[in-house]
Every structure is written in structure tokens, then in C-alpha cells.
Amino acid sequence: MTRASLNKQPHEVASMFDDVAANYDLTNDVLSLGQDRVWRKEVAKAVNARPAQKVLDLAAGTATSSLPFAATGAYVVPCDFSLGMLREGKKRHPHLPLTAGDATKLPFRDDVFDAVTISFGLRNVQDTDAALRELYRVTKPGGRVVICEFSHPTWTPFRTVYTEYLMRALPPVARAVSSNPDAYVYLAESIRAWPDQAALASRLQRAGWSKVAWRNLTGGVVALHRGVKPQ
């Protein structure tokens, strides 16, 4: 199995990410035209990790996304369900406590983390609402969630160009730089099928999060959603 289907069977998605682990960060940099670095900086600002705080970085992949949190002095736990990604991450960042875990059944106690975050991984989870409830469960009262995910561009002409890029330009670029281009066809399709900004905000609220808000990045190509667990 080299490509997951949009019904998101966990073993298919995990296998797909195992296959692309070695070049995943480089490929993302190329396909996003370097924007992924900008987006991750915005995530770090929104999480606002501080020394001694506990941060869960879900769908962390090779743990590249975890490094800004660790740099603040926070205790960050990179968690992913792709063992291939975790193995690659452990080779690069042996000092980080990389942990295998399913977003819908997290291997952590209730009320553990000061902040939980997931970047570009929520749409690959089989049950989005279960994942949002699990993130809520493991967050301390007063703690925060930050979700960075591909979304829907707000300007119609740009949205049309962006959709064309996803479905026409992305696959041949992926073939040139990725070990598994079929995986990136799935990722393009999953981006198109993902709920818009307001719909994701509603799902966060239904999971129990309060003070839910979002901010568009790169014209809505990506949206940064935030929420707080009530005290």
C-alpha cells in the first residue's frame, strides 16, 4: 500500500507516511515553496511555550515541528503513529522523547499538557472529532490547543489557481522530489476534501474547547485555529 484512500484507514495512512519519512521535510519545503517554514514559525508563536511547560506535538512526524518548543525550555513530547517517521526523527533528534500514539486514543493521562498542537496532521486522522476530544482530555484546565491545517483560500480567483496547483502541478513536482509521489496525490485530495475554517471551528467547540478563533495564513491556504480548555 503506497497511497491512502480518503476513508483514512489508519494502517494505510501510517504505511504511506512510513514510505516518505526520509525525504518528508525536504519535499514539504519544495512543494510549499518554502512557506511551511513561515507557517511553523506562526505555530510556535501561537503555542507560546514557556520553560517547564509540557507541550504535546501531535502528528510530529520526524519531530522537526517540535524543535521550536524545545528551544524555549518547555518539555515537548513529539507523538506520531507512523513508526517510520518516528525512527527517522529519533536518528535526527535523539534527545527528544518521541512517542508512538494514535490521535484517537492518546497514550497519556487526563489533564497533563499545558499546550497541545497538531500541524498538517488532523485531516489524516480517521475520526477528527475523536482526536479533538482526546486533545481536550489530555490538556490541563486553562491549557490551549493550536491547530495548523490546510484550509480554503478566501479570495475566489486565488482559490481557483490554488486548486489547479494542487491537482495538476503538485503530482509531477512530487514525482521529482519524493520517494512516493502517490502519497502526495492523496494529500492533495485530502486538502480539497477538508472542512473550511468555520466548520473546523465548530468542531472544536463541540469537542468542548472555548474561546475558539482562527487566523488565515497565506490567504487561507493554511488556517491557524486556537482554543482554550475551560478551568
Side-chain angles (χ1 to χ4, degrees):
M1 176 63 65
T2 57
R3 176 182 169 197
S5 57
L6 285 181
N7 65 5
K8 300 174 188 169
Q9 292 301 314
H11 68 280
E12 293 181 0
V13 178
S15 175
M16 184 191 74
F17 280 106
D18 289 347
D19 289 344
V20 300
N23 296 320
Y24 185 70
D25 295 324
L26 172 62
T27 305
N28 285 349
D29 210 25
V30 172
L31 294 178
S32 70
L33 308 177
Q35 286 296 295
D36 62 315
R37 299 181 193 183
V38 176
W39 299 332
R40 292 196 188 282
K41 285 180 182 176
E42 293 302 317
V43 171
K45 286 182 194 172
V47 170
N48 191 27
R50 296 186 290 279
Q53 287 192 333
K54 294 184 179 72
V55 177
L56 172 63
D57 186 14
L58 189 56
T62 61
T64 298
S65 58
S66 303
L67 297 179
F69 311 130
T72 67
Y75 178 77
V76 58
V77 178
C79 182
D80 204 284
F81 74 157
S82 164
L83 297 181
M85 285 284 195
L86 292 171
R87 278 192 291 266
E88 187 65 28
K90 199 64 179 175
K91 284 193 285 187
R92 300 181 191 181
H93 315 296
H95 61 291
L96 292 177
L98 285 91
T99 303
D102 182 339
T104 64
K105 291 175 289 211
L106 291 172
F108 308 108
R109 298 191 311 274
D110 296 355
D111 306 331
V112 172
F113 295 98
D114 298 282
V116 293
T117 183
I118 180 169
S119 293
F120 309 111
L122 189 59
R123 75 182 189 286
N124 298 317
V125 176
Q126 185 180 35
D127 187 337
T128 302
D129 296 319
L132 293 176
R133 290 192 298 269
E134 274 292 271
L135 285 171
Y136 183 90
R137 179 183 67 78
V138 302
T139 302
K140 294 177 181 178
R144 55 209 183 273
V145 64
V146 175
I147 297 171
C148 184
E149 188 53 89
F150 289 108
S151 199
H152 295 248
T154 53
W155 189 44
T156 303
F158 176 56
R159 185 163 60 241
T160 302
V161 171
Y162 173 65
T163 302
E164 288 294 306
Y165 169 72
L166 278 179
M167 300 315 298
R168 294 192 182 185
L170 189 148
V173 173
R175 277 194 291 274
V177 297
S178 172
S179 56
N180 181 6
D182 280 347
Y184 287 87
V185 176
Y186 156 80
L187 290 173
E189 292 171 349
S190 70
I191 290 168
R192 289 208 310 176
W194 185 245
D196 67 13
Q197 290 89 324
L200 181 56
S202 295
R203 293 173 89 154
L204 275 159
Q205 289 169 331
R206 286 201 302 271
W209 296 98
S210 67
K211 300 180 182 177
V212 173
W214 76 83
R215 181 161 61 92
N216 290 317
L217 305 177
T218 317
V221 168
V222 164
L224 206 60
H225 283 71
R226 286 175 287 182
V228 174
K229 182 171 179 175
Q231 300 225 7

